[in-house]
């Protein structure tokens, strides 16, 4: 029994693809895939241009830090037995409005500024203070209250874990934020231990006062930087953050509200003025449409 080999698919034979009717389609597809690969490779070297444009507003972080420091400081004074227990009647409404709502406002403004870490942290801690305030109000009035020390311990420990996550993320920004988050994580873990050991509660109160002082310092440092335009109190920014800070948190250009360059051109993205912004509204490249936009400044390809 003999076998026959189809000469069309014989190995080692160079075939003329022009003889096949589908060769032009494959050639166009290969060309577009190659162009798409080039576009994606070029995009990976720069910052991703989001559809959400950061708002040109002041830094809301000082409000969040001051609200956190004042609320935590008064609460820890009660836990450390520095003031009378009756001061809790000041702590509970303060936790709802200053520690809760004020930090929620800060979180929303950080979202508008496109700061993921800011709105995540302020939103989470604002929720914690509102929960503490509402729980204390219910306990004081005798409404909807059942003792659940283990549940409170678990909740506090979970916030300690979240604080460690925030600390790990903020390492890329500066040294001040990781220190504050780690101190806060230690505070949460100590408060969790205080539900079974009263001595730990008093120790947590003193440690919380130190943490509140660090938060107050952070609020003052960011406020000085925002108003004075330079770093007055040391924040200890990292070198990569200093290089890319203007690109990570861009402001809206006064000449074109759709511009994300804020008048700070850098390689790969020329400065955009009124009437020149033809790129911001474009969709991502695809196999169907790979046309490049010529830069009005230098005539180079601009994605």
């Amino acid at each position: 029994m003999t076998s026959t080999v189809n000469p069309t698919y014989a190995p080692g034979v160079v075939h003329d693809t022009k003889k096949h009717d589908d060769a032009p389609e494959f050639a166009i597809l290969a060309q577009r895939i190659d162009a798409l690969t080039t576009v994606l490779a070029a995009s990976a070297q720069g910052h991703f241009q989001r559809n959400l444009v950061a708002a040109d507003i002041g830094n809301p972080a000082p409000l969040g830090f001051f609200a956190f420091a004042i609320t935590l400081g008064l609460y820890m004074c009660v836990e450390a037995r520095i003031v009378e227990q009756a001061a809790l009647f000041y702590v509970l409404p303060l936790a709802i409005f200053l520690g809760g709502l004020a930090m929620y406002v800060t979180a929303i403004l950080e979202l508008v500024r496109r700061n993921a870490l800011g709105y995540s942290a302020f939103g989470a801690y604002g929720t914690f203070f509102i929960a503490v305030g509402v729980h204390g109000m219910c306990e004081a009035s005798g409404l909807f209250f059942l003792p659940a020390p283990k549940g409170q311990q678990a909740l506090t420990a979970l916030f300690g874990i979240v604080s460690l996550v925030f600390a790990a993320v903020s390492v890329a920004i500066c040294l001040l934020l990781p220190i504050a988050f780690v101190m806060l994580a230690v505070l949460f873990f100590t408060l969790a231990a205080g539900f079974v050991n009263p001595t730990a509660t008093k120790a947590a109160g003193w440690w919380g006062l130190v943490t509140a002082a660090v938060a107050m310092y952070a609020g003052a440092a960011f406020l000085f930087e925002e108003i004075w335009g330079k770093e007055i109190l040391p924040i200890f920014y990292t070198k990569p953050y200093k290089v890319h800070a203007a690109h990570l948190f861009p402001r809206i250009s006064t000449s074109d509200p759709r511009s994300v360059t804020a008048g700070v051109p850098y390689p790969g993205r020329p400065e955009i003025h009124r009437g020149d912004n033809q790129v911001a509204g474009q969709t991502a490249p695809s196999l169907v449409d790979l046309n490049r936009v010529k830069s009005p400044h230098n005539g180079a390809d601009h994605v």
Side-chain angles (χ1 to χ4, degrees):
M1 181 176 178
T2 59
S3 59
T4 58
V5 178
N6 190 344
T8 305
Y9 302 100
V13 179
V14 179
H15 303 284
D16 187 6
T17 55
K18 295 182 179 180
K19 295 181 179 179
H20 302 282
D21 297 335
D22 54 352
E25 287 76 6
F26 281 115
I28 295 175
L29 179 61
Q31 182 181 4
R32 292 183 175 180
I33 291 177
D34 180 68
L36 178 61
T37 304
T38 304
V39 170
L40 294 178
S43 301
Q45 297 177 1
H47 294 280
F48 178 70
Q49 183 174 342
R50 306 184 185 180
N51 293 326
L52 176 63
V53 179
D56 188 10
I57 61 175
N59 187 2
L63 171 63
F65 279 111
F66 288 140
F68 182 85
I70 295 173
T71 307
L72 181 65
L74 183 57
Y75 181 36
M76 291 299 104
C77 284
V78 177
E79 295 294 328
R81 306 296 190 269
I82 298 177
V83 299
E84 62 275 8
Q85 290 293 314
L88 281 174
F89 291 101
Y90 291 100
V91 174
L92 297 179
L94 195 69
I96 295 175
F97 293 101
L98 183 62
L101 294 180
M103 292 185 69
Y104 256 113
V105 172
T106 305
I108 294 174
L109 294 177
E110 290 286 11
L111 175 62
V112 174
R113 291 182 70 241
R114 225 171 62 180
N115 184 358
L117 177 62
Y119 76 76
S120 299
F122 288 121
Y125 296 137
T127 303
F128 175 79
F129 277 122
I130 290 178
V132 170
V134 172
H135 178 270
M137 289 291 189
C138 293
E139 182 179 3
S141 60
L143 299 175
F144 317 110
F145 175 73
L146 290 174
K150 291 185 177 180
Q152 292 175 304
Q153 186 179 25
L155 175 63
T156 311
L158 287 174
F159 268 93
I161 296 174
V162 171
S163 299
L164 291 178
V165 174
F166 291 152
V169 174
S170 61
V171 169
I173 300 177
C174 63
L175 184 61
L176 177 60
L177 291 180
I179 292 176
F181 283 126
V182 169
M183 294 180 65
L184 191 55
V186 174
L187 173 61
F188 278 121
F189 291 138
T190 310
L191 287 174
F195 288 104
V196 295
N197 185 1
T199 305
T201 301
K202 188 174 182 179
W206 288 102
W207 181 257
L209 289 175
V210 179
T211 306
V214 173
M216 186 74 71
Y217 174 87
F222 288 115
L223 186 60
F224 270 113
E225 183 186 34
E226 179 72 15
I227 301 301
W228 290 46
K230 58 182 178 179
E231 188 178 343
I232 303 299
L233 297 178
I235 301 176
F236 306 106
Y237 284 115
T238 60
K239 291 183 179 180
Y241 182 82
K242 284 185 176 181
V243 173
H244 299 288
H247 308 149
L248 293 175
F249 300 103
R251 299 213 172 188
I252 297 178
S253 174
T254 56
S255 61
D256 189 351
R258 297 178 64 194
S259 174
V260 294
T261 59
V264 185
Y266 59 95
R269 179 173 293 172
E271 184 176 0
I272 303 173
H273 299 285
R274 182 182 299 275
D276 295 339
N277 194 358
Q278 304 176 10
V279 180
Q282 285 192 352
T283 58
S286 65
L287 290 175
V288 178
D289 184 13
L290 289 175
N291 295 327
R292 293 168 177 260
V293 178
K294 296 292 185 179
S295 172
H297 296 274
N298 52 22
D301 289 344
H302 186 71
V303 179

